[in-house]
Amino acid sequence: MENSKSATETIDIVQISLMAAIIFIATSVIHVPTFIGVLHLGDSMVFLSAILLGRKKSSVASAVGMSLFDLLNGYTYWAPFTLIIKGVMGYIAGTIAYRKNYNGDNLKNNIFAFVVAGIWMIVAYYIGGTIILTFISKQNAFQQALIISLKDIPTNIIQVIGGIALAIPLIAALKIKIRNYI
């Protein structure tokens, strides 16, 4: 019995690690700096991880992969925020995608899951930007930071829409491949 539990834990660690690496790579390969953040393709992999791994493993993989990007690409201030924001984003997407009997197989429900998770991300990064501009950079009053942080909302909306647009066909293709091997 102990050996099977150990094997399951090993598989979980491998799956989380691989997905975190994929999220990191997708974020790193094509990213464009914005006013106080970055536009990237990593959200598509967060959505993919929610479907392939479920909420808990997606949460960890998303948090680690995106935070690693921040730490290694000059967005160090953002890393603690990203750890929480992307972790919760993966958790939300996975929770909604697997609610009831959907099991990540219902396209409309998955899109709903990604939209809700994306709204979480947009709001959370707005709050994070306000905190960074007010308390960390200490160059702006709170009211100014609230206004300045609005500048990255359109970029984050584009990022979520792009992430969904990339994730949906990729999920469909991978699910077909996976079913063919099972």
Side-chain angles (χ1 to χ4, degrees):
M1 187 77 171
E2 186 67 37
N3 195 14
S4 111
K5 182 176 168 57
S6 176
T8 301
E9 290 171 356
T10 302
I11 290 168
D12 292 342
I13 291 168
V14 169
Q15 289 174 339
I16 291 167
S17 300
L18 284 172
M19 200 68 227
I22 290 167
I23 290 168
F24 171 79
I25 291 166
T27 308
S28 298
V29 170
I30 299 175
H31 66 274
V32 179
T34 62
F35 182 68
I36 57 174
V38 63
L39 174 67
H40 56 76
L41 300 175
D43 285 355
S44 63
M45 297 301 110
V46 171
F47 298 143
L48 176 67
S49 75
I51 301 303
L52 294 181
L53 303 179
R55 67 180 180 213
K56 291 178 184 178
K57 291 190 268 184
S58 173
S59 178
V60 175
S62 301
V64 170
M66 290 284 191
S67 295
L68 206 59
F69 170 81
D70 284 351
L71 291 170
L72 297 175
N73 287 282
Y75 298 97
T76 311
Y77 282 156
W78 284 104
F81 295 95
T82 296
L83 184 75
I84 294 165
I85 293 167
K86 295 299 182 171
V88 171
M89 184 179 179
Y91 194 87
I92 290 169
T95 298
I96 295 172
Y98 281 85
R99 70 189 172 112
K100 299 182 182 180
N101 293 322
Y102 289 127
N103 296 322
D105 290 327
N106 184 291
L107 177 62
K108 288 180 183 177
N109 188 61
N110 289 349
I111 292 171
F112 175 68
F114 302 158
V115 168
V116 172
I119 290 169
W120 152 258
M121 184 208 71
I122 292 163
V123 171
Y125 271 120
Y126 171 72
I127 293 167
T130 301
I131 291 168
I132 286 172
L133 290 171
T134 303
F135 300 107
I136 297 175
S137 73
K138 296 182 182 180
Q139 296 176 1
N140 298 287
F142 181 71
Q143 292 82 4
Q144 289 175 315
L146 285 170
I147 294 167
I148 293 169
S149 293
L150 290 171
K151 290 183 177 182
D152 270 339
I153 289 177
T155 306
N156 284 334
I157 292 170
I158 291 167
Q159 185 169 294
V160 169
I161 293 169
I164 293 170
L166 286 171
I168 294 298
L170 188 56
I171 289 165
L174 286 174
K175 286 210 169 226
I176 290 168
K177 288 281 189 191
I178 290 169
R179 285 188 186 116
N180 288 341
Y181 289 105
I182 293 178

